[in-house]
Every structure is written in C-alpha cells, then in structure tokens.
Amino acid sequence: MVIIEMLQQSIAASPLFFNLLEKTLLATLPALGFGMMFNVPPQTLKYCAMGAASGYGARFLLLHWGLDIEWASLFAAMMIGAMGVFWSQQTLSHPKVFTVAAVIPMIPGVYGFKAMIALVEINRSGYTPELWAGTLDNLIHACFIIAALAVGLAMPGLLIYRHKPVV
Amino acid sequence: MEMKEVIVFEKNEQREITRLVAEAGYLLLHNGVESKVVSDIAHRIGRVLGIENVEIALTASAVIITTRLQGQCLTTIRQCTSHVINMRIVSEVQQICIAAERGELDIAGVHQRLAGIDPPRYNNWLVVVMIGIACAAFCRLAGGTAEICGLTFLASSIGMIVRQTLVRNTFNALITFGVTAFITSLISGLGLMFQMGDNAFLAMASSVLMLVPGFPLINSVSDMLKGYVTMGISRWTTATLLTLVTSMGIVGAMQILGVWGVWL
C-alpha cells in the first residue's frame, strides 16, 4: 500500500517525463543486483537491465493512465517476455535466464511480508477483524500481481512457441 | 564417483545416454529453472543422442527418467534435495544441448562438457554492493529521502554479507533467510528508532526486499500454468515458507527495537 501511495503522490508532484526517466533508471539497479545474485551470464546482464527499465517504465505509464496494477504488471511482463525471446535467440540462452531478474523490481515483496507479519501478529495478540483483513488484502494483492507477472513472462511460449522451443 | 561408473559402462550406449540425460535434468532442476525447461532440454539431449523416446517425471526432490531404445527401457532417478539459483549453469546446459543438435558434440563430447560445467560466480563483495544499491533503489522508488536510502544501503549490504556467510557454511535456507531478515531489520529499524524523518519505515520495508523469493514464485506460477501442478505447489510452498521466516525475522527485530506495529 505504501509503495502505491508513494507512487501516486510522486506522479502528482512532478512532471511525467523526468519521473518516468528516474523510475526506469532506478529499476535497472535491482535487476542488475539480483542478476548477479542469480549468477546470470555476464553477457546477458545488460538484457536484465534493459528488460527491467522498459518493463518498469511501461508499468509506470500504464498505472499513470489509470490501469489497475495487475493488468499493468501483466502487460509489462508480456513486453519483457517478448523482448526476452528476441534476446535469447541471439545469446542461445533460455529467456528465463535473464527475464526473471528483469521482473524482480515489479515483484510485490512488501505485500507478501505485510501479509505474513499480520499472521504472526494474529498468533501473538489474537484475532481481530482488522488484522485478518490486512492479511487477506495483502496476500491476495501479492498473489494476483505475481500471477500476472509470471503469466506475462510465459505469454510468448503460450501464444507463439507452443510446439517448438524458443532456442 | 559418478563419472567412474559411467566409464565402466561405456559400451552400453543407452545406459550412458540415460545417465547424461539424468545429469542434465538434475543440473537444470537443482539450479532453479522452471519444470518445462528441465523436461524440454532433457528430452532434446536424449533424442539427439539417439534415444527413441525419453520420459521425464519431476518431483521436488528428484528427477526420474526413463529412456526407450529398441524396445528396451531404462529408468533412473537422480536425487535433488537442495535448490540453488545459478543461471550460468542453466545457460551452459542449454548450450550443450544446442551444440549436440548442431552435430558438434557426440555422446563422449556431451559427457565431457556436462562434467566440465563449473562456471565462476560474481565476486562476493561486488554482489554485496550491488544488492545494497538494489535495495536503496527500491527505497528511492518508494519515495525515500537520501538518508533513508543510505540507511537501506547499509542494512542490505550487511544483511547480504550475513546471508553469504550463512550460505557458504551450508546452513538451511530457512535459517539463512530468518537470520538475515533479523539482522537487516535490526539495522534498518534504527531509522525509526531515532526518528529519521517521516518515511523512516521505508528503510525497513526496502532493505528486506533482497529476501523476496522471486525465482521460486515466478517458477511456481509458470509450472502450474504449463501442467506441472505438483512442482508448482511445492515451489509455492517453498516461497511461502521463505517469506514466513523472513517475516518472523522482521518481527523479532521489531520487538527488540520497540518499533512494533509499523508493518501492519
């Protein structure tokens, strides 16, 4: 919730273009960091960064134009998936090798943690409708966004590469 | 140990190919790629080396492979109880498969290439700094001020050092995640304790984002989508448990710092 609110506030506060530029550049950093943690081949690190920048930027614009975050995530991940197919045919690596690192900036980690922390709190201090509502809200939100991201990444395989491998 | 046995049976081609397929499947499953890719590449390696039919069953802790050649079936199981993420190994197995399909590698060549897979990792300190920067970038994306981002960088970098140390000493993944989350939150929670501005909470929220199990989550949904429902469920369970222990680490740190309730 915090992230969305902050996002909305910053959209209202500053001109769109510079905001977009800042977000896309910032989104490359987690992709590079996680890419290194996943030990992606060095020659594909640039694809992690480019995928993350364009995907995050696309989602930012779609959110700005009023789309729901689930649909925005789906379309952004579809874009990354499509670019991943193109790059994978050049590098002869499966697209998942670098597209997962590219969607990392869009994964709703804070929702997931909030849901689990609310669960721990229910165990500690007992059930209240607010805590349970917090758990469910955050959990469902996280699930839908993750599903959207994963389905989006898989989309080229589901639509076009149904019977032949990508590489 | 494995390789010695393979050499003894070199005359028995089907057995050799089955072992190679199992080895490739094991490497792919162990290094964290989705089930469809494990199954596809294992199939392709078996077929290109001359096997009529390859059937693969995946479970969370083993790869089961049956090959058929001239009416003879051979079944083998490779255990795979631990899962890591190493995309360079996945990429190399894929390239071996492609090279074999182009006719550049025969059975012995595939054997040699598979046995020789040992790619380098990125320098640990480089990863520490990059993960610190990554979490600081998350913090900035959420609207954190410069000093909050700095605190996030510090907390995540130290957390990453802890995580690498625990991984190097082969601790259980759940313990690694819980302890890392605890120490990271202890440091990033200092911002709230000393009231470093309105959005000091963002340091706590962003610094633990390095522990989000993104790969198991994405793989889980992909697996369920592509018909590997049990693999998807097991990956989802793994990811849920990792998130739960991370949260317990965060809660422990919050109780010690006395900043209880900011996450709710």
Side-chain angles (χ1 to χ4, degrees):
Chain A
M1 297 296 169
V2 175
I3 289 186
I4 309 281
E5 277 167 22
M6 289 292 173
L7 209 65
Q8 283 165 348
Q9 281 168 13
S10 46
I11 289 172
S14 62
L16 181 65
F17 175 74
F18 290 105
N19 210 343
L20 178 68
L21 192 70
E22 189 199 351
K23 303 277 179 205
T24 49
L25 289 180
L26 279 172
T28 60
L29 299 173
L32 286 175
F34 276 83
M36 288 183 183
M37 203 157 76
F38 299 157
N39 206 21
V40 307
Q43 66 271 22
T44 61
L45 264 182
K46 57 177 181 288
Y47 301 131
C48 297
M50 282 152 65
S54 39
Y56 199 91
R59 188 173 84 157
F60 179 80
L61 278 181
L62 291 172
L63 285 175
H64 178 74
W65 291 328
L67 211 63
D68 288 337
I69 190 163
E70 295 83 6
W71 290 104
S73 304
L74 178 72
F75 292 128
M78 274 171 73
M79 209 173 98
I80 296 178
M83 294 192 304
V85 168
F86 179 69
W87 290 327
S88 80
Q89 285 165 349
Q90 295 180 336
T91 56
L92 297 183
S93 300
H94 193 269
K96 279 279 156 72
V97 167
F98 41 83
T99 51
V100 176
V103 298
I104 285 285
M106 293 194 276
I107 289 192
V110 174
Y111 292 125
F113 290 144
K114 279 193 166 176
M116 291 296 174
I117 287 172
L119 272 186
V120 177
E121 175 66 9
I122 289 175
N123 174 49
R124 206 180 68 104
S125 64
Y127 168 88
T128 66
E130 292 77 29
L131 279 176
W132 186 235
T135 309
L136 282 184
D137 266 350
N138 285 309
L139 189 69
I140 292 170
H141 224 63
C143 286
F144 271 84
I145 297 175
I146 289 165
L149 290 173
V151 173
L153 277 190
M155 213 49 113
L158 294 174
L159 296 182
I160 299 165
Y161 292 92
R162 282 172 312 201
H163 304 297
K164 58 176 177 176
V166 176
V167 280
Chain B
M1 178 180 74
E2 177 102 7
M3 290 309 139
K4 245 187 243 163
E5 289 172 48
V6 172
I7 292 164
V8 172
F9 289 111
E10 211 166 79
K11 280 179 191 156
N12 192 335
E13 233 172 46
Q14 185 180 3
R15 191 166 303 209
E16 164 77 350
I17 297 170
T18 310
R19 278 173 197 272
L20 290 177
V21 173
E23 175 70 13
Y26 165 80
L27 281 174
L28 291 170
L29 187 65
H30 178 68
N31 288 293
V33 80
E34 61 176 298
S35 306
K36 179 81 163 48
V37 179
V38 180
S39 166
D40 278 357
I41 294 185
H43 260 282
R44 284 163 65 186
I45 291 180
R47 295 291 284 276
V48 78
L49 294 181
I51 292 290
E52 286 163 14
N53 197 10
V54 183
E55 301 291 341
I56 296 159
L58 294 172
T59 72
S61 58
V63 196
I64 304 159
I65 289 175
T66 295
T67 59
R68 194 186 71 218
L69 187 63
Q70 292 157 356
Q72 297 284 323
C73 279
L74 255 183
T75 299
T76 186
I77 301 181
R78 279 294 302 267
Q79 270 217 315
C80 176
T81 43
S82 68
H83 294 260
V84 297
I85 299 169
N86 191 336
M87 285 301 118
R88 229 192 279 195
I89 294 183
V90 171
S91 181
E92 288 192 13
V93 174
Q94 170 121 42
Q95 268 147 26
I96 292 170
C97 172
I98 292 171
E101 284 176 339
R102 287 178 177 166
E104 294 162 12
L105 292 176
D106 56 359
I107 296 173
V110 172
H111 180 162
Q112 198 189 352
R113 286 277 298 271
L114 275 180
I117 289 181
D118 184 21
R121 295 199 75 100
Y122 291 93
N123 179 286
N124 278 344
W125 292 107
L126 178 66
V127 177
V128 165
V129 172
M130 283 308 296
I131 290 295
I133 293 176
C135 291
F138 279 132
C139 182
R140 182 72 202 117
L141 280 172
T145 57
E147 53 181 355
I148 297 296
C149 290
L151 180 65
T152 310
F153 174 81
L154 186 74
S156 305
S157 309
I158 295 175
M160 197 61 203
I161 296 173
V162 172
R163 181 174 172 178
Q164 287 177 344
T165 313
L166 292 172
V167 168
R168 207 176 309 123
N169 291 296
T170 61
F171 277 97
N172 180 303
L174 294 174
I175 292 174
T176 305
F177 272 61
V179 172
T180 308
F182 176 73
I183 293 176
T184 309
S185 299
L186 266 188
I187 299 166
S188 59
L190 291 177
L192 271 173
M193 228 178 133
F194 296 112
Q195 288 161 349
M196 284 170 66
D198 295 335
N199 53 18
F201 166 69
L202 287 177
M204 278 198 102
S206 314
S207 60
V208 287
L209 284 179
M210 66 168 174
L211 294 166
V212 174
F215 233 107
L217 286 171
I218 298 277
N219 278 344
S220 161
V221 179
S222 308
D223 279 0
M224 291 197 223
L225 198 63
K226 294 168 186 175
Y228 300 86
V229 179
T230 49
M231 283 299 287
I233 291 172
S234 88
R235 288 189 207 267
W236 187 268
T237 309
T238 309
T240 308
L241 286 176
L242 290 173
T243 314
L244 182 65
V245 288
T246 306
S247 303
M248 284 161 76
I250 297 171
V251 168
M254 286 196 303
Q255 280 175 327
I256 287 181
L257 291 175
V259 290
W260 181 257
V262 284
W263 272 89
L264 299 170

